[in-house]
Amino acid sequence: MRLKISQFLLAFLIIGALTLGGCSTQQVATTSSPTSAATSPATEATTKVTTEATSVSETTSENVPGMTDLPRLEGNATVVITVKGSPITIAVDGTNAPITAGNFVDLVQKGVYDGLAFHRVVRDPQPFVVQGGDPQSKDPKVPANRLGTGSYIDPKTGNARYIPLEITPKGSNTPTYNKPFDATAQPVLLPHKLGAVAMARSQQPDSASSQFYFALADLAFLDGSYAVFGYVTQGQDVVNKIQQGDRIDSAKVTQGAENLKTPG
């Protein structure tokens, strides 16, 4: 019989299963991960963290540092992730999460996720998340305690690429950026329901990079704190069978690739 999870344990799981370690030199001090000082390439990167919420209508200017340098998904796309020969189909929502969705689709197009492991799976005392996307996991020799600390390193710059926290409130056609949104006061358009796909991050709001997770249950308490960018439409049974250490055979954009806009 499954135990009813306590509020304390929920908070612990949020930190332990979704936060990253070693995301940047500015994030190491505040990350709760015991591996936050791991010497991954991302620890050498620097990033500006903006603390004020900004609407998407302002992102066409330079009010959000680095926003114009990030990929966008202007519309929707479909991504198929294959694990142990079985497909998982994801509807990626670039309408309500253009930066978060654009980052994910761009990394899929670049082949970043091919061969990566799911390094964290939390199902007890009740279903929570399956998390993967750490580029370090491609190398089987990387110690297990370092997985979850890595970020995507842009080969053009040699630096880690981070994206801002992006949450769209229900009733709005513009996301807010850079800090958690109070979803208890106003619901979000992309909630953490079963099958949601969202970005993992450190305690710093603008620290998501390549790591993502599948929600194994309705997780409303995460709404507004982590950015959902899509939903599993087929293959949730495959997600439910993923074990820690399982690898992504391939990740492919099967529809909507033309909606991806990358900085020129």
Side-chain angles (χ1 to χ4, degrees), residues 246-263:
D246 286 351
R247 293 187 176 274
I248 296 172
D249 300 332
S250 65
K252 305 293 182 185
V253 180
T254 58
Q255 292 182 358
E258 68 279 3
N259 295 329
L260 179 65
K261 310 301 178 184
T262 55

Side-chain angles (χ1 to χ4, degrees), residues 32 75 83 101 136-138 147 211 218 232 238 242:
S32 61
V83 179
Q136 297 179 110
S137 69
K138 184 165 287 190
L147 299 182
Q211 294 187 45
D218 292 349
V232 174
V238 180
I242 292 174

Side-chain angles (χ1 to χ4, degrees), residues 35-116:
T35 59
S36 61
T39 54
S40 69
T43 61
E44 301 174 1
T46 58
T47 183
K48 292 184 179 180
V49 177
T50 304
T51 58
E52 295 180 356
T54 308
S55 72
V56 75
S57 61
E58 297 173 300
T59 63
T60 53
S61 67
E62 290 299 322
N63 290 338
V64 180
M67 185 72 81
T68 57
D69 297 327
L70 295 172
R72 277 180 178 271
L73 187 66
E74 297 181 354
N76 299 326
T78 302
V79 169
V80 175
I81 291 178
T82 304
V83 179
K84 300 177 75 171
S86 298
I88 302 165
T89 303
I90 302 169
V92 183
D93 189 339
T95 301
N96 297 305
I99 299 298
T100 312
N103 175 71
F104 181 75
V105 171
D106 182 58
L107 295 181
V108 170
Q109 291 278 61
K110 286 177 164 59
V112 170
Y113 292 118
D114 296 351
L116 299 191

Side-chain angles (χ1 to χ4, degrees), residues 17-18 79-83 87-91 104 118 120-123 127-133 192-200 211-217 219 222 229-236 238-240 242 248:
L18 298 181
V79 169
V80 175
I81 291 178
T82 304
V83 179
I88 302 165
T89 303
I90 302 169
F104 181 75
F118 290 98
R120 193 168 286 139
V121 177
V122 181
R123 289 197 174 92
F128 188 49
V129 300
V130 170
Q131 183 177 332
H192 279 80
K193 61 184 181 180
L194 172 65
V197 190
M199 295 301 293
Q211 294 187 45
F212 68 94
Y213 59 91
F214 295 109
L216 297 178
L219 306 171
L222 297 181
F229 60 86
Y231 295 93
V232 174
T233 57
Q234 291 181 335
Q236 184 63 39
V238 180
V239 175
N240 292 340
I242 292 174
I248 296 172

